[in-house]
Amino acid sequence: MQATAASGAASLVSAAAAVTPAISLQNVVKTFGEFTAVKGLDLDIRQGEFFSLLGPSGSGKTTVLRMIAGFELPSSGRIDLAGRDVTRKAPFERDVNTVFQDYALFPHLSVAENVGYGLKLRRTSRGDRRRLVAEALEMIRLPHVADRLPSQLSGGQRQRVALARALVLRPQVLLLDEPLGALDKQLREQMQVELKQIQRTVGITFVFVTHDQEEALTLSDRVAVFNEGLVEQVGTPEDLYERPSSRFVASFLGNTNLVEGELARGLTGSDALLSIRPERIRIRQPDEPLEAAGMSSVEAVIEEIVYTGPSTRFVARTSAGQKLIVQEQNDSRASSAHRGDRVRLEWSSRFNYTV
Amino acid sequence: MRLSRSAKITLRIFAAAVMAAIYLPLLLVIVNSFNATTSGAFPITDFTTRWWEAAFTNEGVREALWTSLRVATVATVIALLLGAMIAFALSRYEFFGKNTVNLLVVLPIALPGIVTGVALNNTFKTVLEPLGIGLGLFSVIVGHATFCIVMVFNNVQARLGRMNRGLEEAAMDMGANVIRAFFTVTLPGFKSAFLAGGLLAFALSFDEIVVTTFTAPPGTETLPIWIFNNMARPNQAPVVNVIAAVLVLLSMIPVYLSQRMTGDDRK
Ligand SMILES: Nc1ncnc2c1ncn2[C@@H]1O[C@H](COP(=O)(O)OP(=O)(O)OP(=O)(O)O)[C@@H](O)[C@H]1O
Ligand SMILES: [Mg+2]
């Protein structure tokens, strides 16, 4: 459903833009000595998309980003930007800008000079440069720091200046390598909202590297999940969360119950691995009737209860020994199950996803 | 760190003794250059500026000073260019034999000056002289450049190693080619280390004597060599004091400035 909606929206964009991806990686391989960091990657990133590369540490996300920027040469394969082959082009010959993980602001230049650096290289006139820099600082809501040195800024301010410095050049594609990684949780969440707003306003394709699944799900139009140099799955956040295509994706994106063997056979009649999200499961009394037709149900004993503020997590175990985690909102419908209670777990059968 | 009272006092006495051992003789030289008697007898009874006048009108001194300035300046310029270039190449590019090059560049500072001197002397006499390049100002400059390069190289390399390589990538990301990135981002980053190295090189060249002895042709004197040759002559002793006083000041200023410069970047 989500997939058709997305492709419907894409077809509204001009036909040319829809067929030519902003970035196209074709069978890209990158080896460092004996070690293969990226193992044959095919990826199309659409124009104007907020696209995330998500994966655990060492899975090759930064390497892919650096190849798109031109800092690393692929060992084999091909990279196109807007339909043009740039595989062997130097970084300064690509219409791509990067926001570095450590921001890489020039310490000897003021904020305004940092933001104006690329414009100066392009021989933008002094007047235009001043106006564009002022606008960029306005956009990140930091017009008053123009004359400061980077060392005189807070972490969040540095991050925004790095963003302004890259965006002021209006590249076709903006690459961001864990730009929020160095910020504390609160600032991080605030910056996520701002980043998304800025991306919508400027309409530039964003390629965003993160190992934080929540961040990827909330910000992205589409996400590629990396694992050991390979892409496990590409899709919308909903695709990935609700219909994971592999055990890795199912367990990497949020918590899930992976069910196989006897219980899985009982639920679906096949041997396939099932993924059941904890928040889909309800806790009922053993003698209560099923809520509706088409429900899956199993009896279990509550082993552990963890209170986490807005929700409570229950760890339950079936008589066959299958552990099931249940996540319950702490609202009026909350069950009052206790440790050791015998309960019946119940969920709609359409949430039994075959992985 | 907190120190006990007695430890503090002991440390102070030691520090004072070391300082005295280093700087009292220097002070003595400067004071003596104003001593009216030629024997340098103490205590000083008559002050005079006669020796200073004599020194500045002395033809040999003037010539030696001019030679020293030329050698130090040219050797420093060579050291700045080559030292910085080698440091940049070694810290930014991987190539075969990198460690060997590194070792060969810093070796002259560890080698006894006499070895460098003899080696260069032999090279010029046996290989280069038949080609028309005998001992002369050029050979002195080459001799000095061997250890001056190390000053610049060491300073610049240490700084480049601490600099964020991401800065150069960021510059290229925004459209700077390799040369632009070097001049707009890398050079400003190591500029002060570069200048500090240059000042040290200049100071080192200005009071060098061993390598100079072996690479200078007869009759060519730098200031230290002039002092060395004239110290034993009783009637020149006061003038030697003046020159020594000038040398102390001339080599302390660059060292002081280079200290200030490297100190500045640390904040
Ligand atoms: N220059 C290099 N030389 C050798 N190995 C490298 C180099 N760069 C990366 N690697 C290796 O390639 C693999 C992928 O690295 P990469 O930096 O792309 O991971 P990542 O997904 O960005 O991880 P993280 O989330 O920790 O940043 C790692 O195992 C890393 O050690
Ligand atoms: Mg990374």
Side-chain angles (χ1 to χ4, degrees), chain A residues 66 69 71 91-92 96-98 100 102 104-108 114 117-118 121 165 169, chain B residues 164 166-178 180-181 184-186 188-189:
Chain A
R66 290 175 58 80
F71 299 129
F92 46 87
V96 165
N97 289 115
T98 309
F100 294 86
D102 61 358
L105 297 176
F106 304 133
H108 61 293
N114 261 285
Y117 182 88
L121 288 174
R165 185 175 71 168
L169 297 171
Chain B
N164 181 356
L167 295 182
E168 285 154 35
E169 287 187 348
M172 286 191 233
D173 188 68
M174 284 180 282
N177 59 28
V178 178
R180 275 306 274 267
T184 55
V185 175
T186 320

Side-chain angles (χ1 to χ4, degrees), chain B residues 57-219:
Chain B
T57 50
N58 185 317
E59 201 54 39
V61 171
R62 284 196 184 186
E63 217 162 273
L65 177 65
W66 177 229
T67 307
S68 273
L69 281 176
R70 275 188 298 172
V71 168
T73 308
V74 179
T76 302
V77 169
I78 293 175
L80 284 174
L81 292 178
L82 290 183
M85 267 159 47
I86 301 170
F88 185 73
L90 286 183
S91 67
R92 290 295 183 265
Y93 298 99
E94 290 299 325
F95 53 88
F96 178 74
K98 189 170 150 161
N99 291 334
T100 316
V101 172
N102 199 333
L103 181 69
L104 288 178
V105 171
V106 290
L107 202 57
I109 210 79
L111 279 181
I114 202 152
V115 174
T116 313
V118 168
L120 280 170
N121 185 283
N122 279 339
T123 310
F124 272 92
K125 281 216 170 125
T126 60
V127 182
L128 293 175
E129 200 161 279
L131 301 174
I133 314 169
L135 292 183
L137 207 57
F138 177 69
S139 58
V140 180
I141 289 170
V142 170
H144 284 208
T146 58
F147 53 82
C148 285
I149 287 178
V150 185
M151 291 293 112
V152 178
F153 174 80
N154 274 347
N155 265 287
V156 172
Q157 201 193 30
R159 178 67 55 84
L160 284 174
R162 274 182 284 132
M163 262 173 74
N164 181 356
R165 285 206 60 179
L167 295 182
E168 285 154 35
E169 287 187 348
M172 286 191 233
D173 188 68
M174 284 180 282
N177 59 28
V178 178
I179 294 166
R180 275 306 274 267
F182 178 83
F183 281 104
T184 55
V185 175
T186 320
L187 185 62
F190 72 73
K191 197 171 62 190
S192 59
F194 180 71
L195 292 179
L199 286 168
L200 284 178
F202 190 90
L204 208 59
S205 161
F206 210 79
D207 64 11
E208 211 284 334
I209 193 154
V210 182
V211 175
T212 319
T213 315
F214 285 93
T215 49

Side-chain angles (χ1 to χ4, degrees), chain A residues 32-50:
Chain A
F32 294 107
E34 299 283 282
F35 178 75
T36 309
V38 178
K39 305 170 183 165
L41 183 60
D42 287 297
L43 200 60
D44 279 353
I45 298 174
R46 299 176 193 138
Q47 307 264 3
E49 200 170 30
F50 197 123

Side-chain angles (χ1 to χ4, degrees), chain A residues 2-61:
Chain A
Q2 187 63 26
T4 52
S7 61
S11 66
L12 292 178
V13 186
S14 82
V19 284
T20 314
I23 306 170
S24 170
L25 302 176
Q26 291 147 38
N27 197 19
V28 170
V29 174
K30 179 68 192 178
T31 56
F32 294 107
E34 299 283 282
F35 178 75
T36 309
V38 178
K39 305 170 183 165
L41 183 60
D42 287 297
L43 200 60
D44 279 353
I45 298 174
R46 299 176 193 138
Q47 307 264 3
E49 200 170 30
F50 197 123
F51 192 93
S52 289
L53 311 182
L54 172 68
S57 186
S59 55
K61 312 177 294 290

